[in-house]
């Protein structure tokens, strides 16, 4: 049993809850949050399933990401119906529209993470999208999906178009809107977002110089993406603790230990 799982047992809170609360706090720590909006959703433990209904965890409506605690996460079903709501604040049902669509279409997506950052939104407004400029960006080479902006996600019919655009990819740029990642674990979804955000920031910095840009060859770009995938799969598919995710959790435990309460 890993360190995080052992600590989860000691608190009678599932590892899923602790990891998800950690991800919320980390998004706030790295200033990738947007007031009380956007979400990170994760599959609830199998033990929480009700009558065959798969359940999901997400933040209580109205809380900033730096206020989220593992014990206060809301449990909902795929339709967004509330099963357990410790604070009684409900959820942003419209915000769960994107997440529920991905969870329904992608059983492998244990976590879906969506952000509205300045860098992410800026790149989402660029016709060329994410450019293969550097090592951070190359892990996403030919692996980023794009979805056209259709207004605030209130139209349930958009869900079909969004999941069709996403396909089997784990990263998406929502045009004129923001970024989304999904992962086999909360840690995988967070780390993908961390580097997708860095890739967007680096792109804006490079473009701001006004100098000619040097891009790697397509062969090197593809090689780099495959190298990154092999590292990710080693931990996600083998069940091994991901040392990078554990390091991120240690960071947030040091600066905001109440997330585990």
């Amino acid at each position: 049993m890993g360190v995080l799982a052992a600590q989860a047992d000691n608190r009678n809170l599932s590892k899923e809850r602790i990891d998800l609360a950690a991800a919320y706090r980390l998004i706030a720590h790295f200033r990738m949050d947007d007031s009380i909006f956007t979400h990170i959703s994760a599959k609830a433990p199998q033990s929480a399933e009700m009558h065959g209904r798969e359940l999901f965890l997400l933040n209580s409506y109205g809380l900033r990401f730096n206020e989220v605690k593992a014990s206060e996460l809301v449990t909902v079903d795929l339709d967004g119906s509330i099963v357990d709501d410790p604070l009684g604040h409900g959820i942003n049902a419209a915000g769960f529209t994107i997440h529920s669509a991905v969870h329904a279409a992608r059983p492998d997506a244990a976590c879906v993470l969506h952000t509205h950052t300045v860098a992410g939104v800026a790149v989402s407004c660029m016709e060329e999208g994410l450019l293969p400029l550097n090592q951070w960006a190359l892990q996403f080479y030919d692996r980023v999906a794009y979805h056209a902006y259709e207004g605030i996600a209130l139209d349930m019919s958009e869900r079909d178009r969004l999941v069709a655009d996403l396909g089997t990819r784990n990263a998406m740029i929502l045009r004129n809107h923001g970024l989304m990642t999904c992962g086999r674990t909360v840690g995988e979804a967070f780390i993908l977002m961390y580097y997708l955000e860095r890739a967007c920031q680096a792109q804006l910095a490079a473009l701001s110089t006004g100098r000619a840009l040097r891009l790697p060859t397509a062969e090197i770009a593809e090689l780099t993406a495959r190298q990154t995938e092999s590292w990710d799969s080693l931990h996600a598919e083998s069940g091994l603790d991901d040392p990078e995710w554990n390091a991120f959790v240690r960071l947030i435990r040091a600066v905001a230990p109440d997330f585990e309460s």
Side-chain angles (χ1 to χ4, degrees), residues 86-160:
L87 296 181
H89 294 171
I91 65 167
N92 181 351
F96 190 57
T97 299
I98 290 174
H99 294 250
S100 61
V102 177
H103 284 302
R106 292 278 303 277
D108 62 308
C111 179
V112 179
L113 199 165
H114 173 45
T115 63
H116 303 155
T117 64
V118 173
V121 172
V123 170
S124 80
C125 298
M126 295 180 179
E127 186 61 37
E128 61 268 36
L130 186 67
L131 294 170
L133 287 173
N134 53 68
Q135 185 165 278
W136 291 325
L138 292 181
Q139 66 182 288
F140 300 102
Y141 178 74
D142 201 27
R143 286 157 176 80
V144 176
Y146 292 85
H147 176 66
Y149 188 61
E150 299 187 28
I152 296 173
L154 299 174
D155 184 355
M156 297 298 283
S157 69
E158 183 182 357
R159 304 199 314 172
D160 293 338

Side-chain angles (χ1 to χ4, degrees), residues 191 194-195 231-232 235 241-250:
I191 290 169
Y194 179 81
Y195 288 113
W231 166 262
D232 293 342
H235 299 93
D241 278 352
D242 183 340
E244 186 174 15
W245 172 242
N246 285 348
F248 276 120
V249 175
R250 289 196 304 273

Side-chain angles (χ1 to χ4, degrees), residues 31-250:
R31 299 184 178 182
M32 290 190 279
D33 53 340
D34 181 20
S35 184
I36 63 171
F37 303 106
T38 77
H39 298 284
I40 315 170
S41 59
K43 289 184 180 180
Q46 287 188 345
S47 60
E49 292 186 7
M50 296 180 58
H51 308 295
R53 283 193 301 166
E54 195 166 34
L55 301 179
F56 304 88
L57 302 168
L58 74 160
N59 57 316
S60 182
Y61 187 58
L63 293 185
R64 300 188 308 273
F65 280 23
N66 65 357
E67 298 175 306
V68 172
K69 297 179 180 179
S71 63
E72 296 174 350
L73 292 165
V74 181
T75 306
V76 300
D77 65 14
L78 198 57
D79 295 323
S81 298
I82 293 175
V83 174
D84 181 56
D85 184 1
L87 296 181
H89 294 171
I91 65 167
N92 181 351
F96 190 57
T97 299
I98 290 174
H99 294 250
S100 61
V102 177
H103 284 302
R106 292 278 303 277
D108 62 308
C111 179
V112 179
L113 199 165
H114 173 45
T115 63
H116 303 155
T117 64
V118 173
V121 172
V123 170
S124 80
C125 298
M126 295 180 179
E127 186 61 37
E128 61 268 36
L130 186 67
L131 294 170
L133 287 173
N134 53 68
Q135 185 165 278
W136 291 325
L138 292 181
Q139 66 182 288
F140 300 102
Y141 178 74
D142 201 27
R143 286 157 176 80
V144 176
Y146 292 85
H147 176 66
Y149 188 61
E150 299 187 28
I152 296 173
L154 299 174
D155 184 355
M156 297 298 283
S157 69
E158 183 182 357
R159 304 199 314 172
D160 293 338
R161 294 184 290 277
L162 187 145
V163 297
D165 289 337
L166 178 63
T168 60
R169 294 179 172 87
N170 289 323
M172 172 174 267
I173 293 179
L174 300 158
R175 291 290 193 184
N176 313 101
H177 183 173
L179 307 176
M180 185 182 75
T181 58
C182 49
R184 292 161 288 190
T185 63
V186 172
E188 183 177 46
F190 172 80
I191 290 169
L192 282 172
M193 181 60 74
Y194 179 81
Y195 288 113
L196 183 57
E197 171 68 16
R198 283 204 148 192
C200 290
Q201 291 177 359
Q203 179 167 320
L204 297 184
L207 291 174
S208 71
T209 67
R211 303 296 297 271
L213 301 179
R214 183 182 181 89
L215 275 65
T217 65
E219 291 76 16
I220 291 299
E222 178 62 25
L223 171 64
T224 307
R226 290 184 179 179
Q227 288 172 324
T228 305
E229 287 173 338
S230 65
W231 166 262
D232 293 342
S233 295
L234 172 66
H235 299 93
E237 295 177 0
S238 67
L240 296 173
D241 278 352
D242 183 340
E244 186 174 15
W245 172 242
N246 285 348
F248 276 120
V249 175
R250 289 196 304 273

